[in-house]
Amino acid sequence: MKIVLCDDQKSVSDELGRFIKKFDEKNQQQNEFLYFSKPSTLFEYMQEETVDLIFMDLEFCNASDDGIIWLKKIKMHFPRTVVIILTAYENRYKEGYEARAFRFMTKPIEEKELFEYLRVSMEELWLTKSISLMRRGIPYNISIRDICYFSAQSGGSELWTTTDMYCCEESLLQWEQRLPKTIFFRCHSKYLVNLARVTKFENQVLTLVDGEKIPVSRRRWKAFQLAYMKFDTKDFL
């Protein structure tokens, strides 16, 4: 994931860079971190390069560089980019939400808050991706956000969305290894479920957005509840 800080204070970049490095080491990841002091320079860079996550300051030394204005421009041209506003001014939160900021983070940066925002940002970014499948010789791209669950079948698996089913050569284990565990949970030997599609769970049964019921094995019930509590569902449906 390519992470960018846009802030005219270099000290903030140094601090954020250290925290991201610590996050990567803790989670065995390797994210790229870049720093821009001006929103206009960042916007020019984004014409050629993909940026996944931006930490955007609200107020710059140059009064014309307003973070909310640039947030609106970035979201208009790059809607899939996740933008987190950095600010010490809570009175501007409403403007940021109206401009579609993903989160707000107050200065000075706190490690615990940053780590949580990095986690949910990665989940959001994963849900914007697609997987490719062949069906009767025709290629299909299926948004991860639209997947409800995978079910194990002899010689492969079935991928279910709210409207369709696709037969896959990949096994449930292969899908489990390929997809992020923070979003897809192996709730049963025969099912791999998208946590973003779970609306209710009780008595070891999951209810999905389309009303379908999926069982959870007894030995995986507690682990499911923990995984679901960590997953911030309100931002993904």
Side-chain angles (χ1 to χ4, degrees), residues 114-174:
L114 172 64
F115 282 16
E116 176 62 15
Y117 284 7
L118 286 171
R119 183 186 67 80
V120 296
S121 296
M122 289 178 181
E123 290 172 355
E124 171 67 14
L125 287 163
W126 256 107
L127 287 166
T128 66
K129 298 181 183 297
S130 300
I131 59 174
S132 298
L133 292 174
M134 295 293 292
R135 187 181 188 188
R136 301 186 185 96
I138 300 173
Y140 287 85
N141 288 320
I142 303 171
S143 170
I144 287 179
R145 190 185 296 272
D146 294 335
I147 298 171
C148 291
Y149 66 93
F150 296 86
S151 61
Q153 300 295 325
S154 177
S157 60
E158 292 176 347
L159 183 163
W160 290 83
T161 68
T162 54
T163 59
D164 214 339
M165 184 275 287
Y166 301 83
C167 293
C168 312
E169 294 181 356
E170 294 89 344
S171 67
L172 216 58
L173 177 60
Q174 287 175 307

Side-chain angles (χ1 to χ4, degrees), residues 182-217:
T182 55
I183 300 174
F184 287 87
F185 185 84
R186 185 73 175 268
C187 62
H188 190 281
S189 60
K190 292 186 176 182
Y191 296 100
L192 178 66
V193 68
N194 185 346
L195 294 175
R197 289 290 164 181
V198 177
T199 60
K200 182 181 178 181
F201 59 94
E202 60 182 356
N203 301 323
Q204 295 175 217
V205 176
L206 311 181
T207 302
L208 306 185
V209 290
D210 59 355
E212 187 159 1
K213 309 290 185 181
I214 301 291
V216 182
S217 65

Side-chain angles (χ1 to χ4, degrees), residues 39-71:
S40 57
T41 308
L42 167 60
F43 191 76
E44 289 177 12
Y45 175 82
M46 293 177 71
Q47 307 306 309
E48 303 292 336
E49 299 288 340
T50 299
V51 173
D52 299 301
L53 171 61
I54 298 171
F55 288 91
M56 173 74 75
D57 192 16
L58 268 188
E59 299 187 5
F60 294 79
C61 293
N62 187 337
S64 63
D65 287 334
D66 183 88
I68 296 295
I69 293 174
W70 281 101
L71 166 61

